[in-house]
Amino acid sequence: MATRGHFAKMIAFSAVCTSLVAACNEKNKSSPKAQSSSRFSATAPAALAAIAEPGGDQASANLAQSQPDEYAWKLFEFVCLEAAPGQAGIPSGKAITQYDEDTPIVFETWALASGDGGSQNGSEVFKPDGSDPGDWAHLPRGAAQRKVFSANLKLATAGPSLLRLQAGSRPLQSLPVTGPAKPRILIGPGADPAADFEVRLNQAAFTFVQQQGMYNLEGLEAKYQQAKAAGNRDLIQFSPMAKEIKADWVPTINPTAISADEKARYHWRKVGNNYYKLVGFHITTKDLRSWFWADFAQEDYEMTEGPGTSVVADPSIDSTTRGASAPDRGDKDGIRKELMGSKWAHYRLRGVQLDFDKPTVLGNTMIERGRARISSCMTCHFRATVGPMVNGDPSSLGSSFVVGRPSPDLLGKGSDIAFLQTDFEWSAPFRAQHKAAH
């Protein structure tokens, strides 16, 4: 049993701690670094771990609509925080400008929708056997988690296949309104030498896919048939908190080493015996009816496909960092002032997209390789669909590099539902596999 003297000592110790905290707070108030504009860098580490993921509420929707560039950076400065070890989607507690080398950031701990090379091996959402991915809390996030890179299926479906066709692989049937079905992707076992891509879902998106049974082809076809029977084109609707990231990585200049310059200017990871650097990513959130879309690129890949290559993309648009009067401009255009001095100061917001009201080009030089000037996130993802069975597989409109508002007739005329949209979410129709017979 505790004694009165013991309690007196505890009270005295608490008073000392309170005094120390107060002194630290006063020091931080007077420190120039503590007065940074960053919503993270001036926050105590203990509070950082409790920072809520942005999105999912009316305030976020309002910000996305009224100040889309600012909201894009708000998302960036959350998903790029260093991740807490052993957990999925949780920040470590460090500021955005503080990080250890070769350590996952928050989005790298989200559920992996893509698989290994040209297959779905290693996917945590759309498994090769079409099985239930289980609960978010059970995702393995130990110290030895293996990083898996996929081929970019968007490029493979938009033109001649970039994937090696493999025996026994499953074709994604693309059924144009004006013609017969054609196989567009073949997903088979084995790594692809061009694989440098990953797609990840946050907890809200992962949970929706799992609970709605959209993790295999049978589940997707059931959704299509349910929508046709009910006449409900909007059957599939993710929650406002849902997010997806598509990220592109490339090997370092010397794949088995990394230079001091690359360490300073890139987020990088060692995968096996090789080093990879993050060169760009899309982030999309369901904060808006047709989702909110933002694209980021590392400065060497902002308008080119790497140092010394030709310009293949239009200039970036960012009202927060471009122009002498931009409110959050660092020491030059494109740099957020709160990120200066860190690797993240070398990443640029390429642009955002909110709606179809006017044709909008938004493309990443690496994710839309060779097609950045003719890409539109929303226009492509409008075509994310599931349709009638063709040769044993559900059909889909397939991806397309076009700009502007697509014709609603693509989905069926009148009350007919020829194709059911998967709510702008391509991962399911691209990557879901048949449920294995047991």
Side-chain angles (χ1 to χ4, degrees):
M1 181 179 293
T3 65
R4 182 176 300 176
H6 177 71
F7 282 118
K9 290 179 181 178
M10 290 176 65
I11 293 170
F13 177 76
S14 176
V16 171
C17 290
T18 302
S19 298
L20 287 171
V21 170
C24 288
N25 287 340
E26 285 301 313
K27 182 178 179 181
N28 285 340
K29 287 178 183 177
S30 62
S31 165
K33 185 175 181 179
Q35 295 173 8
S36 165
S37 65
S38 170
R39 52 189 285 274
F40 299 111
S41 59
T43 309
L48 273 167
I51 284 179
E53 180 180 320
D57 56 13
Q58 190 58 50
S60 296
N62 292 344
L63 186 61
Q65 193 75 54
S66 63
Q67 300 180 62
D69 297 340
E70 180 64 27
Y71 188 56
W73 280 111
K74 184 175 182 179
L75 294 167
F76 178 98
E77 293 187 12
F78 178 81
V79 302
C80 292
L81 286 169
E82 183 177 280
Q87 301 183 73
I90 304 298
S92 70
K94 294 180 180 179
I96 186 70
T97 54
Q98 299 173 332
Y99 38 80
D100 293 327
E101 291 187 343
D102 193 17
T103 302
I105 55 179
V106 167
F107 85 69
E108 290 181 86
T109 67
W110 288 358
L112 184 66
S114 50
D116 189 6
S119 77
Q120 280 303 105
N121 293 330
S123 175
E124 297 172 325
V125 185
F126 306 104
K127 297 189 173 185
D129 62 357
S131 60
D132 189 325
D135 296 330
W136 178 268
H138 297 152
L139 293 175
R141 290 296 177 266
Q145 182 187 355
R146 185 170 73 95
K147 193 165 186 65
V148 174
F149 288 136
S150 169
N152 185 339
L153 299 189
K154 178 178 180 179
L155 293 179
T157 59
S161 178
L162 301 182
L163 299 183
R164 294 178 298 170
L165 307 187
Q166 304 195 35
S169 56
R170 179 192 70 76
L172 172 70
Q173 302 288 355
S174 175
L175 184 58
V177 173
T178 57
K182 300 176 183 177
R184 297 295 289 276
I185 310 180
L186 292 181
I187 302 177
D192 189 285
D196 55 10
F197 192 71
E198 65 177 335
V199 181
R200 291 186 178 269
L201 306 182
N202 77 338
Q203 183 174 0
F206 170 87
T207 300
F208 182 84
V209 169
Q210 190 269 335
Q211 291 181 349
Q212 296 294 315
M214 293 169 54
Y215 47 81
N216 59 40
L217 291 173
E218 286 71 22
L220 289 175
E221 182 63 17
K223 285 292 182 188
Y224 171 68
Q225 295 299 337
Q226 181 184 350
K228 281 185 69 71
N232 183 6
R233 295 185 181 278
D234 296 323
L235 179 68
I236 298 176
Q237 293 294 315
F238 282 76
S239 77
M241 194 66 185
K243 297 178 182 67
E244 180 186 80
I245 278 186
K246 293 187 290 186
D248 199 85
W249 303 72
V250 301
T252 51
I253 296 170
N254 176 357
T256 58
I258 183 168
S259 68
D261 175 69
E262 288 171 304
K263 279 189 175 184
R265 298 192 303 114
Y266 288 88
H267 175 59
W268 59 273
R269 302 297 308 281
K270 187 176 183 182
V271 183
N273 295 321
N274 294 329
Y275 291 82
Y276 288 82
K277 52 193 181 183
L278 177 66
V279 296
F281 64 88
H282 292 327
I283 181 167
T284 181
T285 84
K286 188 59 192 291
D287 287 296
L288 303 179
R289 176 67 177 83
S290 298
W291 297 65
F292 173 87
W293 311 80
D295 178 63
F296 291 90
Q298 201 276 347
E299 60 188 350
D300 295 342
Y301 294 82
E302 182 182 358
M303 295 173 61
T304 71
E305 295 179 4
T309 62
S310 301
V311 172
V312 294
D314 295 330
S316 301
I317 299 174
D318 176 11
S319 62
T320 73
T321 68
R322 297 192 179 266
S325 61
D328 295 288
R329 185 181 184 273
D331 58 3
K332 66 178 182 179
D333 276 5
I335 299 178
R336 286 282 291 202
K337 59 186 177 184
E338 69 267 26
L339 302 179
M340 288 178 61
S342 75
K343 63 186 176 184
W344 301 117
H346 302 279
Y347 287 80
R348 307 286 181 259
L349 174 61
R350 292 273 303 128
V352 299
Q353 189 171 7
L354 309 182
D355 52 44
F356 293 116
D357 288 347
K358 60 180 180 180
T360 300
V361 173
L362 183 59
N364 186 284
T365 62
M366 301 302 286
I367 297 174
E368 284 84 27
R369 207 167 300 181
R371 300 175 174 91
R373 281 185 165 136
I374 57 171
S375 294
S376 170
C377 294
M378 290 180 68
T379 306
C380 174
H381 283 255
F382 174 93
R383 299 170 63 92
T385 51
V386 59
M389 296 290 284
V390 178
N391 298 329
D393 291 303
S395 56
S396 175
L397 283 172
S399 64
S400 177
F401 286 92
V402 294
V403 177
R405 182 183 290 274
S407 169
D409 288 348
L410 287 170
L411 306 174
K413 295 183 179 181
S415 61
D416 177 51
I417 301 177
F419 293 96
L420 173 66
Q421 287 181 301
T422 52
D423 196 15
F424 290 82
E425 169 55 57
W426 260 126
S427 291
F430 267 178
R431 298 184 178 277
Q433 304 292 295
H434 280 294
K435 183 177 180 180
H438 295 290

